[in-house]
Amino acid sequence: MKKIVAVCALSLFSMVAGANELLLTSSSSKAGATQVSIDFVSDGQAVAFQYNIALPKGVSADQVDLRSCSADLPKQYVGECSVAKGQIIGFVVNDANVPFPAGVLPVGKIGIASAAKLRNLEVLKLEVVGSNAKTLKASVSVDPVK
Amino acid sequence: MNKINKSLMAAMLLAALPLSNALACTIDAWTGSPSATAPTANGPQSAESNARYSGLCALSADAGQFVVDNFPGAEGVYRARFYVLTSAVTSAATIFKATASDNGQGATVVSIDLGAGGTSLSFNQNGTSAGTITGLTPGRWYSVEFLYKAYVDAANPGSFEASVAGNVSFTGSIPATPLSAGNTGTIGSAVLGFASGTGPALRFDAFESTRSADTPIGRLCRGDASGDSSLSIADRVAINNEILGNSVVTGQPDCTEDGAVSIADRVCLSNRVLAADTCP
């Protein structure tokens, strides 16, 4: 009974504390490439978010495929990404200043074609912003590279 | 380092205003006697849409209008930085001068002229040309910073140097040049505005001055709309809010430095974020 109560309490905590969350899920292909799926869980207040991911060790900029980095976004949102100064940088914004609906927002995918053995991705920065341009609480969930 | 700040914003006076009032733009912080018809401080909160570089306000000066800072006291080392939104002035316009006495009186120690057409800035110290920077575009924001060190003796000849940057990618400078004997003027007041010349109005912002010979004042962070000294998506949202008329930002939203806050600034700022640019 105590264990059940503890598990429920933890779940409730994560729902409240991690209300805005960037989800990075990695998977490897037989060719040695890695695909990173990007999703964002919104608390219903965010109008924009930006992420900066460290370029994995051994990976060069031209080994990063950003063509689909915002391909899964609904049309009313703007998403852009780049590789610069050793980072993969991306952001999603609703320029109408209307918050994303609460829940999961699919963003897109980043491809990393490298024979280098990738460690877990390192998110250097996650900034989630409300309609008043103030930052909101947010967290990151990175699934290990399989 | 002693710092002499002179902000065109009414920030220092805000605490004295009732909270229910809209933030006010004022030239009250300028302690000297302005021109007979004083320039106005205004910004995007005014009925008209007015350009400013940073914060809520800028100084708008028609020909003959200027403000004066009497804070300097016989300064032999004087550094100042300000932003100017140039215009295609029809004759050379004195936009800054530092003089020996209060209220812009006495010998002119340093002067800066915007050339006819608004494409050059000429610097003078103690009546001698210190150099000209060309290639400016009228209707753009430029930062102007100079350092004047008066001649003391042969072992300490002093120097004059200046730097100009703006319109996103323009830079120009006058390297530190030793002064010759006789260039001993000290500064008692500073005049900022459209002190002489003719042409369309000029706007000024973010004036600062110090006594430091070693530490530049430097530029503000272009595109840092939120004013937190970093470039991020929060600045894009802040720029959006101003474009949409929701609020006026307090940082530097005019990323393109073209005198307007628009979608172009949103794109400019986004490009800076994606390039991992950082604030100076």
Side-chain angles (χ1 to χ4, degrees):
Chain A
M1 180 64 173
K2 285 184 181 177
K3 283 185 182 178
I4 295 171
V5 169
V7 168
C8 289
L10 275 173
S11 300
L12 190 63
F13 178 79
S14 67
M15 283 171 59
V16 172
N20 289 299
E21 190 173 22
L22 181 71
L23 306 177
L24 302 179
T25 309
S26 304
S27 59
S28 296
S29 72
K30 288 182 180 177
T34 298
Q35 182 168 270
V36 181
S37 294
I38 306 171
D39 298 280
F40 179 74
V41 181
S42 172
D43 67 353
Q45 296 181 66
V47 300
F49 63 90
Q50 173 189 333
Y51 57 86
N52 293 47
I53 302 169
L55 200 60
K57 194 175 180 180
V59 175
S60 60
D62 57 5
Q63 293 176 306
V64 180
D65 183 357
L66 299 175
R67 291 173 295 175
S68 299
C69 73
S70 57
D72 299 334
L73 280 176
K75 289 182 181 177
Q76 65 266 38
Y77 305 141
V78 172
E80 297 187 42
C81 47
S82 68
V83 177
K85 297 180 183 176
Q87 303 173 54
I88 301 170
I89 305 164
F91 65 72
V92 174
V93 59
N94 184 342
D95 283 329
N97 220 29
V98 175
F100 307 127
V104 178
L105 175 70
V107 179
K109 296 173 180 54
I110 294 175
I112 302 175
S114 170
K117 191 174 182 181
L118 298 181
R119 292 182 179 179
N120 293 343
L121 295 173
E122 180 186 2
V123 177
L124 301 171
K125 171 178 180 168
L126 173 65
E127 184 169 327
V128 179
V129 182
S131 58
N132 59 358
K134 302 295 184 188
T135 55
L136 302 171
K137 288 184 180 178
S139 61
V140 177
S141 174
V142 179
D143 261 0
V145 176
K146 298 180 181 60
Chain B
M1 177 190 77
N2 290 322
K3 190 169 185 180
I4 317 165
N5 277 352
K6 190 63 59 184
S7 173
L8 287 166
M9 244 187 81
M12 290 183 294
L13 302 179
L14 287 176
L17 297 174
L19 291 176
S20 59
N21 281 3
L23 299 177
C25 295
T26 173
I27 63 170
D28 291 353
W30 293 84
T31 54
S33 301
S35 50
T37 302
T40 55
N42 50 38
Q45 288 183 307
S46 306
E48 300 171 7
S49 175
N50 291 301
R52 87 293 190 198
Y53 193 84
S54 178
L56 301 178
C57 313
L59 185 77
S60 180
D62 291 328
Q65 297 179 345
F66 54 83
V67 290
V68 179
D69 176 21
N70 281 341
F71 196 84
E75 313 292 344
V77 177
Y78 183 82
R79 180 189 295 273
R81 189 246 23 235
F82 60 90
Y83 279 79
V84 56
L85 181 61
T86 57
S87 72
V89 292
T90 49
S91 66
T94 299
I95 63 172
F96 177 89
K97 69 178 178 176
T99 63
S101 304
D102 281 351
N103 294 313
Q105 303 300 307
T108 297
V109 180
V110 174
S111 67
I112 303 173
D113 293 342
L114 178 66
T119 60
S120 65
L121 285 168
S122 296
F123 297 80
N124 297 274
Q125 58 83 23
N126 291 294
T128 302
S129 172
T132 298
I133 294 174
T134 60
L136 279 66
T137 301
R140 295 294 187 269
W141 283 107
Y142 293 90
S143 64
V144 180
E145 179 165 346
F146 72 88
L147 170 64
Y148 168 77
K149 295 191 288 185
Y151 179 95
V152 177
D153 52 39
N156 300 283
S159 64
F160 183 88
E161 62 189 89
S163 63
V164 175
N167 194 21
V168 180
S169 58
F170 177 88
T171 59
S173 64
I174 295 171
T177 305
L179 307 185
S180 54
N183 290 304
T184 57
T186 58
I187 293 169
S189 69
V191 174
L192 182 71
F194 204 151
S196 67
T198 55
L202 299 167
R203 295 183 70 80
F204 300 86
D205 205 351
F207 178 86
E208 283 192 47
S209 61
T210 78
R211 299 186 179 101
S212 173
D214 303 315
T215 306
I217 297 170
R219 304 195 81 232
L220 299 171
C221 187
R222 178 174 61 90
D224 177 21
S226 61
D228 65 354
S229 301
S230 70
L231 297 170
S232 75
I233 196 63
D235 298 304
R236 176 164 174 151
V237 175
I239 291 171
N240 271 345
N241 273 328
E242 182 155 327
I243 292 170
L244 294 170
N246 296 334
S247 59
V248 176
V249 304
T250 57
Q252 292 79 239
D254 190 357
C255 184
T256 59
E257 299 183 312
D258 67 353
V261 177
S262 69
I263 288 180
D265 299 299
R266 196 171 73 188
V267 173
C268 170
L269 178 276
S270 297
N271 287 338
R272 294 205 76 190
V273 168
L274 292 172
D277 282 354
T278 55
C279 287

